[in-house]
Structure formats: C-alpha cells, structure tokens
Amino acid sequence: FSEMLVDGDLLLQLCERDLKGDLGVRNGIVRKRLWRELRKLMRNVDYSLSEGESTAQFLRNISSEMVEYTHRLVRRGLTHQYMDTLAVEDVEDALKHAGVENIAHRYKIR
C-alpha cells in the first residue's frame, strides 16, 4: 500500500473490486480478509467532529452496517437532506455512483 501511496482517505474509498484490479490482491482468501478488515475500519471511523456526522448518524439509524458508506456519500455531497430533494431513481443512481454496490443497501438508504 505504501508503494502505491494509499493513505487513510483512499482506504475509505476502496471497494472489493479495487483490491483485485488496482492493488493486485489476487489471492481470494487474502482479498476477502482484507476487505472484511477495511469494512470494519469504515464502520468505526469517528465522524463526530466532521461534516460527515449527520450522514453517519442517518446511516447508523438505518443499520450499523450502513455506516461504512459515510465517507463515500460525504465525498460526493450526498447528505440525507440533499437525497430527500431527489427523485427515487436519481438517489438510486447517485448511491450506485458513490460506490454503494449492494442493491439491498441502496434500497435501505434511499
């Protein structure tokens, strides 16, 4: 990771596909273990003193599992208030482009 200049901000933006394609983690077991740990990291970031606090709380109210998407949504300006102004299809597209790949998770968030 250090050779590729992967820092904390970039770690929070990764998806499982990035581990294989961009970072070259070919071993499936290693990739799944790394992805599991990255998801734990994403869920445990402290947003209490940042602009992501309300988004993290909104996602936490849905499910503690959803908090892992906070960083991705905040980076794209997808606050709960903003998403309320969009049509359902637009929210779906925005969430997908933000990296919420799981369709069930997108449904819960919108």
Side-chain angles (χ1 to χ4, degrees):
F1 286 118
S2 61
E3 291 174 10
M4 296 180 176
L5 303 175
V6 176
D7 60 9
D9 181 61
L10 193 54
L11 277 176
L12 294 173
Q13 296 177 53
L14 291 175
C15 65
E16 189 174 7
R17 182 181 52 233
D18 296 331
L19 296 177
K20 184 177 183 180
D22 296 334
L23 296 175
V25 182
R26 301 276 179 232
N27 184 302
I29 293 172
V30 171
R31 190 171 56 250
K32 288 194 181 302
R33 286 181 178 162
L34 181 55
W35 180 239
R36 180 184 61 209
E37 295 304 315
L38 283 172
R39 289 182 67 209
K40 283 183 192 176
L41 174 69
M42 292 172 186
R43 287 187 209 122
N44 291 308
V45 172
D46 181 8
Y47 290 100
S48 62
L49 299 175
S50 74
E51 63 187 69
E53 180 179 11
S54 64
T55 301
Q57 187 58 49
F58 163 70
L59 293 170
R60 192 174 293 109
N61 288 341
I62 297 169
S63 165
S64 61
E65 186 177 83
M66 298 297 138
V67 177
E68 72 185 67
Y69 298 116
T70 302
H71 189 76
R72 294 174 187 194
L73 299 184
V74 169
R75 284 189 51 84
R76 288 164 182 82
L78 295 174
T79 64
H80 175 49
Q81 294 82 6
Y82 177 68
M83 288 189 287
D84 278 347
T85 68
L86 300 175
V88 173
E89 299 82 22
D90 294 332
V91 172
E92 174 79 18
D93 288 343
L95 291 173
K96 192 172 184 178
H97 287 18
V100 182
E101 295 176 356
N102 185 311
I103 192 168
H105 290 182
R106 288 196 307 267
Y107 181 77
K108 288 178 182 179
I109 293 170
R110 63 184 176 139

